[in-house]
Amino acid sequence: MKPYDLPDARGHFGQYGGTFVAETLIEALDQLKAQYAKYQFDPEFRREFESELKHFVGRPSPIYHAKRWSDMLGGAQIYFKREDLNHTGAHKINNCIGQALLAKRLGKPRVIAETGAGQHGVATATIAARYGLECVVYMGSEDVKRQAQNVYRMKLLGATVVPVESGSKTLKDALNEALRDWVTNVDNTFYIIGTVAGPHPYPMMVRDFQAIIGQECIAQMPEMAGRQPDAVIACVGGGSNAMGIFYPYIEHEKTRLIGVEAAGEGLDTGKHSASLTKGVPGVLHGNRTYLLQDENGQIIETHSVSAGLDYPGVGPEHAYLKDIGRAEYVGITDDEALKTFHECCRIEGIIPALESAHAISYATKLAPTMSKDKVLLVNLSGRGDKDMHTVSMKSGLSFFCHPECETGRNVAAAARGETVSPISIVRK
Amino acid sequence: MNRINTTFSALKSSRKTALIPFITAGDPTLDSTLPTMHALAKAGADVIELGVPFSDPMADGPVIQRSSERALMKGMSLRKVLAIVAEFRKDNATTPVVLMGYANPIEAMGREVFVAAAASAGVDGVLVVDYPPEEADDFSAVLIARDLAPIFLLAPTSSAERVQAVGRLARGYVYYVSLRGVTGAGNLDVADVASKVAAIKAIVSVPVGVGFGIRDAATARAVGAVADAVVIGSALVQTMFDAPESEIAQTGGAWLAKVREALDQ
């Protein structure tokens, strides 16, 4: 294929991307574009970025051969890119460092972020603490309830978490509210968007900061597997971990790129987050891309067991890669992802994030259809510690952060004259 | 000739400032919108901006956000908004109607289909909040071909080059956002608005309206002294929401009549 050089100067990936925002945001975006262009290849900026990735994040993250599981499946060899081993437990921190370094150079003392599951919020709060920046994180009030532990982590790191009560009270509404904050406080505030969506230059800039994932793989795979992979597999919500690992492989035409969306309760149930598989192109959050919407163009509520994939849009570059056929997009259901989550714990001794479990799950489906000399590389984008509550509930286990949390139930049990178990994990 | 141009020509010769109320279609109730439009016209509205509700109104403050949510809950849609305008036109052939909303409902209907339907319903102008000029070339051309006015926002942060670019594409009027923030915010600086509006008027040939943050007769009057038009939305939407259900249109009309009076003093 011809050299890949998207987006164009106006942020378009084919018909996708662009700058679909109110006039009130244009100046801030123009300023950001100019600053990013200035520092993108600046040796001093690159040096600081790379030094932070090495000493604060712990990069490069290793590649690991899931040999036992590959042997059990009897087909292609599965390798994991271990983004779960990064500081803060996921790939999100790579991008946060890049954008926070820009914020410092722009002299903005305040950063804001949107978050769904809380991973991007935690990463932003982390780097804001490290650089002494004020940090405000917008989070849908439904997500605040579902992700109490990450809310607490952000607060420990000194961030202010603002619950968003508008719309569906989830990630998309948090993004709307962060944009409103930015419009109002553009003079002193830098908006750290967490995924490869939003108005230009965000999809390009976030991809560039996350591309370190794929760049490392290109260097590591020959040593680990003797060659580049036959397929690279990553989960796609907004799509930042997938773009990060796909981007350096786009020109490696022999490597298939496979994005795995959340099929939720099933692609035909209406309860999923599979924007690329089931959506149609439209405009949301500053860019044109595939969206889950009704026939009147209203954005609809999405579902996934994994909060990080629960988003009705997707990065515009994925929309483009789908249309030109360079990447394929498939779905994995909640049940499939949960099954894989448990298998990964038991077979490989790795607790993956539920998001990443979607990608691994597809790899375990694909591997047996391929010969043993084939190679699959899965982006293990985050660790699963944050998902303990969700998984324990779905698995019929009660999990208490604190034994006292169970008190109410114990009192009720005692009143019925039952013996009360003192342990904090009980099987229902 | 487009009704917006006719209206502004007449206002210019009588040296009056245009009053442009904004209401969200379908809020507070589905049936209140049509009688409210008539009441607003009667109370002295020169142009009516009809908000097309969207699930993700990122440029709007809490009042318009909530009004959009209520309207969507009741089943309002772009097609129904157009039906309301067609109904309004049966009894009012002169008051211009501008639709204000977001791109996605229009794209879901299809841009050409929408523009044709809007023209035949009797719409006069369209303001798509998330179509800045760099993304609006084609759409503006389609609108202009049907004698509909593409209305654009200008912000305190818009550079002179951008004001020029908007000036080239804009028809009807331009809408100057009087503060850094979302609709309904409350930190309006009239002196600052006056100097910005003067700078814009030196560049663009269409009238300049001012909105976002005008909440009562007094601010309307102060801004009206420097602008060609005053747009007033959140305060009216809130007033109508607070009214008893049987008096929504009447309350909206009475509230606007006071603003009209202050503006004409």
Side-chain angles (χ1 to χ4, degrees), chain B residues 178-194:
Chain B
S178 54
L179 47 84
R180 296 183 182 200
V182 292
T183 54
N187 40 347
L188 187 72
D189 177 347
V190 176
D192 184 53
V193 170

Side-chain angles (χ1 to χ4, degrees), chain A residues 10 19 167 180 187 288, chain B residues 55 57 69 107 134-135 180:
Chain A
R10 290 166 58 196
T19 313
R180 292 180 189 119
D187 286 338
R288 182 175 283 125
Chain B
S55 52
E69 281 173 26
E107 298 208 352
E134 48 268 70
E135 301 289 359
R180 296 183 182 200

Side-chain angles (χ1 to χ4, degrees), chain A residues 167-168 170-176 284-285 299-300 311-312, chain B residues 55-56:
Chain A
S168 57
T170 59
L171 174 60
K172 76 178 181 71
D173 309 285
L175 217 155
N176 290 330
L284 178 70
H285 293 150
I299 307 307
I300 56 180
Y311 178 64
Chain B
S55 52
D56 294 81

Side-chain angles (χ1 to χ4, degrees), chain B residues 149-225:
Chain B
I151 315 276
F152 287 95
L153 296 173
L154 284 172
T157 48
S158 302
S159 63
E161 294 77 38
R162 291 195 63 80
V163 177
Q164 275 168 358
V166 165
R168 279 193 292 275
L169 284 175
R171 301 287 187 280
Y173 58 95
V174 293
Y175 184 146
Y176 176 66
V177 176
S178 54
L179 47 84
R180 296 183 182 200
V182 292
T183 54
N187 40 347
L188 187 72
D189 177 347
V190 176
D192 184 53
V193 170
S195 77
K196 290 283 176 27
V197 169
I200 292 168
K201 288 178 79 150
I203 297 175
V204 305
S205 54
V206 293
V208 179
V210 173
F212 279 45
I214 297 173
R215 52 185 47 222
D216 52 25
T219 39
R221 185 155 186 253
V223 169

Side-chain angles (χ1 to χ4, degrees), chain A residues 43-125:
Chain A
E44 159 59 25
F45 182 86
R46 297 300 312 178
R47 230 182 347 261
E48 191 175 356
F49 181 56
E50 280 156 22
S51 169
E52 290 291 87
L53 290 180
K54 183 176 177 189
H55 300 289
F56 190 62
V57 178
R59 300 204 74 92
S61 66
I63 286 179
Y64 165 78
H65 184 192
K67 188 168 184 312
R68 201 162 94 86
W69 208 349
S70 302
D71 288 348
M72 287 166 72
L73 292 165
Q77 301 306 303
I78 298 174
Y79 291 79
F80 293 153
K81 176 63 170 167
R82 297 292 306 275
E83 292 297 299
D84 60 317
L85 295 178
N86 292 341
H87 177 43
T88 72
H91 70 290
K92 293 286 186 189
I93 190 78
N94 304 327
N95 165 54
C96 288
I97 288 177
Q99 292 198 50
L101 288 176
L102 278 180
K104 278 208 308 183
R105 280 165 175 74
L106 281 164
K108 308 254 170 138
R110 178 175 182 264
V111 295
I112 57 172
E114 83 294 339
T115 198
Q119 291 305 100
H120 175 58
V122 167
T124 305

Side-chain angles (χ1 to χ4, degrees), chain A residues 205-414:
Chain A
M205 184 172 70
V206 176
R207 172 200 72 191
D208 293 348
F209 289 138
Q210 292 293 4
I212 185 72
I213 304 172
Q215 286 154 4
E216 288 175 359
C217 291
I218 295 227
Q220 293 165 314
M221 282 307 283
E223 188 189 330
M224 278 304 294
R227 63 189 180 88
Q228 296 300 339
D230 296 287
V232 173
I233 303 171
C235 63
V236 178
S240 70
N241 90 77
M243 255 348 288
I245 196 166
F246 285 180
Y247 183 55
Y249 278 103
I250 289 176
E251 291 185 13
H252 287 240
E253 282 179 80
K254 287 182 183 153
T255 300
R256 286 168 68 189
L257 305 178
I258 304 173
V260 184
E261 297 191 293
E265 295 180 11
L267 288 173
D268 297 318
T269 62
K271 295 188 124 190
H272 57 77
S273 307
S275 325
L276 288 160
T277 313
K278 286 293 192 176
V280 291
V283 172
L284 178 70
H285 293 150
N287 64 107
R288 182 175 283 125
T289 187
Y290 280 84
L291 300 174
L292 292 169
Q293 51 180 310
D294 68 15
E295 68 281 7
N296 292 314
Q298 306 297 339
I299 307 307
I300 56 180
E301 287 182 31
T302 53
H303 166 82
S304 170
V305 67
S306 138
L309 301 182
D310 204 349
Y311 178 64
V314 63
E317 193 163 11
H318 286 295
Y320 177 75
L321 293 175
K322 173 192 160 85
D323 281 12
I324 64 165
R326 180 62 190 92
E328 313 151 50
Y329 295 89
V330 297
I332 284 291
T333 64
D334 288 354
D335 289 347
E336 290 172 319
L338 279 162
K339 179 168 169 284
T340 299
F341 174 94
H342 288 291
E343 287 170 350
C344 193
C345 296
R346 298 292 178 95
I347 298 170
E348 294 295 343
I350 295 172
I351 302 177
L354 280 172
E355 290 79 4
S356 318
H358 285 73
I360 301 168
S361 186
Y362 190 73
T364 63
K365 274 186 171 179
L366 191 58
T369 70
M370 300 167 79
S371 60
K372 288 181 183 175
D373 59 340
K374 299 290 183 193
V375 173
L376 300 179
L377 173 62
V378 181
N379 196 7
L380 211 175
S381 54
R383 65 179 184 226
D385 306 46
K386 69 185 176 61
D387 295 316
M388 292 298 102
H389 267 279
T390 306
V391 174
S392 64
M393 273 163 62
K394 295 276 178 188
S395 315
L397 288 169
S398 297
F399 169 83
F400 297 97
C401 48
H402 221 266
E404 287 88 330
C405 296
E406 213 189 345
T407 306
R409 173 202 285 252
N410 289 355
V411 170

Side-chain angles (χ1 to χ4, degrees), chain B:
Chain B
M1 191 179 178
N2 187 296
R3 288 183 197 90
I4 300 173
N5 300 341
T6 314
T7 299
F8 275 101
S9 302
L11 286 164
K12 195 172 182 185
S13 40
S14 62
R15 293 169 174 269
K16 281 170 75 175
T17 302
L19 176 57
I20 308 182
F22 168 100
I23 57 172
T24 301
D27 181 65
T29 66
L30 288 181
D31 295 337
S32 66
T33 303
L34 181 62
T36 301
M37 289 172 75
H38 285 302
L40 294 174
K42 199 172 160 219
D46 297 299
V47 177
I48 294 171
E49 279 188 5
L50 200 52
V52 180
F54 180 49
S55 52
D56 294 81
M58 66 181 184
D60 283 298
V63 171
I64 310 271
Q65 283 173 44
R66 284 196 290 266
S67 82
S68 301
E69 281 173 26
R70 290 190 297 261
L72 290 174
M73 289 280 286
K74 295 187 170 81
M76 187 43 63
S77 67
L78 180 52
R79 282 189 174 79
K80 289 181 185 170
V81 175
L82 293 172
I84 292 171
V85 177
E87 204 55 38
F88 176 72
R89 279 281 167 258
K90 289 180 182 170
D91 299 310
N92 183 321
T94 55
T95 307
V97 174
V98 169
L99 300 188
M100 180 170 177
Y102 293 80
N104 204 52
I106 292 172
E107 298 208 352
M109 184 185 272
R111 301 210 278 192
E112 278 78 12
V113 174
F114 161 74
V115 173
S120 66
V123 170
D124 303 283
V126 180
L127 195 175
V128 182
V129 173
D130 47 356
Y131 275 167
E134 48 268 70
E135 301 289 359
D137 289 23
D138 306 351
F139 186 64
S140 296
V142 179
L143 286 173
I144 290 168
R146 300 294 298 246
D147 197 26
L148 294 184
I151 315 276
F152 287 95
L153 296 173
L154 284 172
T157 48
S158 302
S159 63
E161 294 77 38
R162 291 195 63 80
V163 177
Q164 275 168 358
V166 165
R168 279 193 292 275
L169 284 175
R171 301 287 187 280
Y173 58 95
V174 293
Y175 184 146
Y176 176 66
V177 176
S178 54
L179 47 84
R180 296 183 182 200
V182 292
T183 54
N187 40 347
L188 187 72
D189 177 347
V190 176
D192 184 53
V193 170
S195 77
K196 290 283 176 27
V197 169
I200 292 168
K201 288 178 79 150
I203 297 175
V204 305
S205 54
V206 293
V208 179
V210 173
F212 279 45
I214 297 173
R215 52 185 47 222
D216 52 25
T219 39
R221 185 155 186 253
V223 169
V226 297
D228 299 311
V230 170
V231 188
I232 190 154
S234 298
L236 174 59
V237 167
Q238 187 63 46
T239 300
M240 288 165 56
F241 177 67
D242 294 336
E245 199 171 320
S246 58
E247 295 168 23
I248 293 166
Q250 184 193 333
T251 305
W255 188 87
L256 195 76
K258 281 191 195 138
V259 179
R260 174 84 265 174
E261 198 184 327
L263 209 54
D264 291 346
Q265 267 172 16

